Amino acid sequence: MPKPLMPQDYPQYSAAEVALGRALFFDPLLSGNRNIACATCHNPAYGGSDALALGIGEGGTGRGAARQMGRAVQRQARNAPALWDLGARQVQRLFHDGRVEQRGAVVRTAAEGQLPSGLNSLLAAQVLFPLIARSEMAGAPESNEIAAAAQTSAPEAWAMIARRVGAIAGYRDMAAPADIDITTIANALAAYISTAFRSMGSDFDRYLGGVRSALDPDQRAGMALFYGKAQCSQCHSGPLLSDQAFHNLALPPLGPGRTRRFDPVARDAGRLAVSDDVRDSYRFRTPFLRNVAQTAPYGHNGIFPTLESVIRHHMDPLGASADFIPPEGITHWQDVTELRRIRAAFLAYPAKAQVPATLHQRQVDQLIRFLHSLSAPQTDQVAVPETLPSGLRPFGD
Ligand code: HEC
Ligand code: HEC
């Protein structure tokens, strides 16, 4: 059994830096066309995600399940993760494919030598990317100068965003005595995410801390299955309930995919795109399960609407996807060739554990009850600010 999460599991940041990060997180000023914020896809009202299987970035309108495509060209390729505990010291790998990762003292990312210096954490490196991604926050190159710059130079686009923020007196005051550059912005966003999205204090933590009655009998039975016969903890291990390793669960393909260089097929091959190791085909990082009851839908492409459906898929990865019904309003590839490749990889490179297909309904229910005990009370820090220094409306929609 893991240890409960404690304050010392997270780095400390100053209240001023967290307050700056909070304002920036909700401010559409950071997006090329001032119409989308980090919080649009990582919304505290939906557990830190967006309630969509695949989110809608720049050009979309509205929030949560009601968000519409508007001018957006296509859906996001993957489900927006909920940000819980990403600032914890033990987190080594960010994104579903771990493409931002800590290797000893080195942070590895796709931007190679272009990252600014002085970043305070792995998370601070990560938050730089949505800012310059066309479909997330930057927008079409012809629609604004930041998106245009991002096409040829990430550092130039980051500098423009920093100048835009630095032009606002309220932000200069909040950042003082520091000057506003992209490092100030990235570090403040990381400080906010790390501080506000902490899941300490769940019933599970209280149980691990010695309060046996914190879990009811069904939850305790679910926990025994999770750490025993159901095999869950083979992969969902440690205080965050993830080994931070990559496994192929043969999820059916959904959405536009992530086109890799030199790959003619639009698909999402997961960790393969980072490692170029064929054994990593369709492998995705084991998700952290804290607050999971609040963050539906599930899976790297959001294909499962409920906890029950995701558990049932684990029990029979090849059988379950055969009769899968895609969520409404999203193009399902219905690409049988791709599904066949995913299954072939599943069989060729088996995962280290397999959930038994024989769990009966009552056991599935107990596992779900246990997963609910991982929910923590939310702090006020995740709440939406009423006003922003830029004068724009939070979210910008
Ligand atoms: C259009 C929706 C969208 C917007 C806007 C957006 N994100 Fe994300 N975010 C995503 C998606 C989708 C992923 C997963 C991408 C992947 O794994 O390839 C993600 C991943 C992340 C992760 C890694 C999560 C993990 O579990 O490893 C962090 C941290 C994050 N975003 C923070 C931010 C911040 C900070 C901003 C604002 C600067 C932002 N995001 C804006 C959709 C969005
Ligand atoms: C072989 C490793 C492994 C085992 C065993 C395993 N899981 Fe998973 N689990 C994963 C991976 C990997 C994913 C994400 C797959 C993807 O998105 O392609 C996942 C996804 C999930 C999700 C969705 C979370 C989210 O935020 O999207 C839940 C819930 C979950 N697992 C619960 C369980 C439970 C309960 C068990 C035991 C009955 C279990 N898992 C056993 C590796 C595993």
Side-chain angles (χ1 to χ4, degrees):
M1 298 295 288
K3 294 206 181 87
L5 278 177
M6 310 284 258
Q8 57 268 29
D9 288 318
Y10 312 84
Q12 283 303 307
Y13 296 102
S14 73
E17 194 170 32
V18 173
L20 174 62
R22 178 174 173 223
L24 293 169
F25 188 82
F26 289 93
D27 199 335
L29 183 71
L30 267 53
S31 63
N33 294 318
R34 298 179 175 81
N35 58 0
I36 182 168
C38 307
T40 304
C41 301
H42 302 289
N43 189 340
Y46 307 106
S49 185
D50 56 6
L52 296 167
L54 299 173
I56 300 170
E58 202 282 333
T61 54
R63 291 181 208 167
R67 191 161 168 82
Q68 300 287 317
M69 289 297 279
R71 287 184 297 97
V73 185
Q74 63 176 32
R75 297 250 172 187
Q76 298 295 300
R78 293 179 178 161
N79 183 254
L83 310 188
W84 292 99
D85 305 304
L86 293 181
R89 293 182 203 279
Q90 55 194 290
V91 175
Q92 303 271 324
R93 287 165 158 171
L94 295 173
F95 283 127
H96 290 294
D97 53 14
R99 68 185 179 281
V100 170
E101 63 187 316
Q102 189 87 45
R103 293 254 179 103
V106 180
V107 171
R108 235 189 65 147
T109 72
E112 292 173 15
Q114 299 192 316
L115 288 189
S117 58
L119 297 174
N120 66 10
S121 57
L122 189 63
L123 204 44
Q126 196 286 334
V127 304
L128 292 166
F129 294 98
L131 296 171
I132 53 167
R134 171 184 182 149
S135 72
E136 287 183 56
M137 294 176 77
E142 58 281 8
S143 68
N144 68 80
E145 70 289 354
I146 292 171
Q151 285 208 297
T152 50
S153 165
E156 182 49 30
W158 286 325
M160 287 167 134
I161 295 168
R163 284 200 290 277
R164 203 191 254 188
V165 174
I168 310 278
Y171 277 126
R172 287 199 303 276
D173 291 346
M174 288 179 93
D179 287 333
I180 293 184
D181 58 16
I182 195 64
T183 304
T184 320
I185 292 172
N187 285 350
L189 284 167
Y192 168 71
I193 294 171
S194 174
T195 307
F197 289 91
R198 293 183 183 183
S199 74
M200 288 177 300
S202 64
D203 290 340
F204 180 57
D205 284 320
R206 292 200 301 124
Y207 178 88
L208 294 176
V211 185
R212 199 175 145 78
S213 61
L215 300 187
D216 67 28
D218 272 342
Q219 291 174 320
R220 289 205 292 268
M223 182 175 65
L225 286 163
F226 193 94
Y227 288 97
K229 182 177 150 186
Q231 302 285 319
C232 314
S233 65
Q234 295 290 326
C235 304
H236 296 282
S237 55
L240 302 178
L241 299 103
S242 169
D243 55 5
Q244 297 189 52
F246 305 89
H247 310 280
N248 175 9
L249 293 192
L251 268 60
L254 179 73
R258 282 179 57 83
T259 312
R260 293 187 305 136
R261 254 191 295 175
F262 313 123
D263 189 346
V265 184
R267 55 171 147 182
D268 192 347
R271 182 69 178 170
L272 172 68
V274 181
S275 71
D276 277 328
D277 180 341
V278 67
R279 289 169 298 186
D280 282 335
S281 305
Y282 308 107
R283 288 186 174 165
F284 293 88
R285 184 191 63 187
T286 306
F288 305 163
L289 294 185
R290 285 174 170 271
N291 282 332
V292 72
Q294 276 70 52
T295 64
Y298 304 109
H300 71 268
N301 55 16
I303 205 159
F304 304 111
T306 60
L307 287 171
E308 170 140 5
S309 57
V310 71
I311 293 175
R312 291 213 170 274
H313 179 88
H314 279 67
M315 288 163 59
D316 183 12
L318 298 186
S321 52
D323 45 58
F324 176 76
I325 302 163
E328 252 176 81
I330 299 190
T331 44
H332 185 229
W333 285 342
Q334 290 174 331
D335 180 340
V336 269
T337 322
E338 179 63 0
L339 189 54
R340 204 176 299 137
R341 286 189 208 105
I342 294 172
R343 291 159 164 232
F346 177 88
L347 294 168
Y349 311 111
K352 64 180 175 187
Q354 166 66 49
V355 178
T358 50
L359 297 178
H360 48 75
Q361 183 66 46
R362 184 165 160 72
Q363 291 172 316
V364 172
D365 291 342
Q366 287 167 333
L367 282 165
I368 294 171
R369 293 281 299 123
F370 168 63
L371 293 176
H372 276 84
S373 79
L374 302 171
S375 299
Q378 291 205 6
T379 62
D380 326 338
Q381 269 159 328
V382 292
V384 184
E386 276 174 20
T387 58
L388 297 171
S390 64
L392 297 173
R393 285 189 339 131
F395 300 91
D397 52 11

